[in-house]
Structures are given as C-alpha cells and as structure tokens.
Amino acid sequence: MSTTQTPLPPVVDADAWRRELDALRVREKAATRELDAIAAQRRRLPMVELPEYTLEGPEGPVRLADVFDGHSQLIVYNHMWSDGNEWQCPGCTGFTSQFTRLDVIERYYDARFVIVTNGPIEEALAYRTKVGNTMAWYSSAGSPFGADMDAGPGEGFGVNVFLRDGDTVYRTWHTNGRGTERLSYLQGLVDLLPYGRQEEWEDSPEGWPQHPTYAQGMGSKEVAALYGEGHDHA
C-alpha cells in the first residue's frame, strides 16, 4: 500500500520490468552512439583565428593567450551578469558550482576551464566568494570578448572552447541554451530518478511533482547556503 499521496510508477513483475528496461536500453545505447558520432564530428571542426583580447583577472589585465596558463586548450563558461545585483543568474551559479576538481582536466588533458563574465572584476570576485565557487574568474567588461563570443551584456550565457598555438588563439566550438546541462553531473544524475528534474517543461506522467525552472534546487541562494563564505562545508 502506498504511503504517499504523490503518484507512483506502475508496479509490475520482474520479467515485465526487465522487458521495459531492455526496450529503453535500445534507445539509450542509440543515443550514446549518436553522441559519440557528434563528438567525432566536433573533433573535425575547423577553427577561426581570434584577435588578441585582454581580460581582467584577480591580478589585473591578462591576455586571453595567458588565461590558458600554459595549456593548449581552454574552456570558457560565459556567466550571465547584471551589474550590481545581489544574486546573479541561478542557472549559471548552479551549473558552475559543480566544477570543483579541475586539476584533473589540467593535469591529464592539457586544458583549463574558467569563467568569464561581463561584470566588473571586483563584483565578479566578490560573488565568487559569496557563492563558494572554486573556478578561476575573469572579466570582459572592458573588452569586446563577451559580445564576440555570442555572450555579450544582456545576451545570456555560453560555452566556448579555444585552442592555443603559441600566442595565437583559435575558437573551436560554441554552444548556449538547452543542452549545456549535458556537461553537468547534477542533471545527469537527476534525470535517472523516477520523478526527474520535476520542472514544469518536462514530459512527465499526470500528477508527477513539477515546479517552475529554478523554483527549487541549485539556485544562487541555495548554492551560497551550501558552499558560500562563512558556511559549514563539513
């Protein structure tokens, strides 16, 4: 007998469950192979040479080529920003809070992963501390870099990838909007759960718990409460 008022998936015997799982597994494996093929095509993309950009870092102005910190590859998350706001984009804040062990990509994949925002560097670094973010942050407030990378002021977020050859930097890939959550471990795990992300846009059975996107979960305030300065992270 159910002990909750929340609707539950149908209950079947083990053989019926196995048949349904096997049918789903066909689609899951097909999706995996398609993602492999997409990654193979991505590795064959051409690239475009960029002009020299100067960003602002914690220690002052820094060339984009030097943001690589000696590595040949660079991933930039272009974080949405509104100058002077106490809380910045909940999606960006929640997404980037997940990346805490970036020494692995630096040590073994010759790459670096950083945040660039259009906000003033002082505000950006203060917000970084407030929400307990551990990534390196840079500002493009005095540069056309954000706009040129399809993530200018008021334009939203983006993910850009670059390759460096000496002091010359090339742009190799870009995306924004839906799909970037595939880079996140959180949504990948939550998508395995019977109730999913519980967001109202999802195609879920009638009566499944749902709420507006960002109404609960890893929003800006929640991230700060979990990881921000002055909180117990034990």
Side-chain angles (χ1 to χ4, degrees), residues 134-149:
T134 62
M135 298 175 70
W137 284 57
Y138 297 88
S139 169
S140 58
S143 165
F145 177 78
D148 290 351
M149 298 301 111

Side-chain angles (χ1 to χ4, degrees), residues 149-191:
M149 298 301 111
D150 301 295
E155 291 182 351
F157 71 95
V159 180
N160 281 280
V161 181
F162 307 95
L163 182 66
R164 180 180 64 86
D165 182 16
D167 288 335
T168 304
V169 175
Y170 302 90
R171 188 186 191 190
T172 65
W173 186 76
H174 164 265
T175 195
N176 54 23
R178 283 297 315 282
T180 52
E181 71 266 31
R182 191 175 61 78
L183 308 176
S184 153
Y185 80 83
L186 176 64
Q187 280 83 2
L189 290 176
V190 171
D191 284 344

Side-chain angles (χ1 to χ4, degrees), residues 196-230:
R197 303 182 201 181
Q198 302 180 34
E199 296 181 355
E200 59 188 6
W201 62 267
E202 288 184 292
D203 180 1
S204 295
E206 185 70 27
W208 249 228
Q210 290 185 309
H211 55 75
T213 303
Y214 305 137
Q216 69 181 46
M218 292 287 280
S220 304
K221 295 179 182 179
E222 291 79 9
V223 170
L226 285 173
Y227 306 121
E229 188 176 45

Side-chain angles (χ1 to χ4, degrees), residues 42-87:
R42 187 182 298 116
R43 289 190 293 271
R44 290 166 172 79
L45 279 176
M47 58 187 183
V48 60
E49 183 176 344
L50 298 181
E52 185 170 295
Y53 291 101
T54 299
L55 307 179
E56 196 75 19
E59 307 302 325
V62 56
R63 298 184 310 156
L64 178 61
D66 294 326
V67 173
F68 285 73
D69 196 26
H71 300 288
S72 67
Q73 301 166 103
L74 177 70
I75 301 171
V76 168
Y77 185 86
N78 296 92
H79 196 297
M80 290 178 65
W81 194 267
S82 296
D83 290 356
N85 278 14
E86 178 183 6
W87 299 108

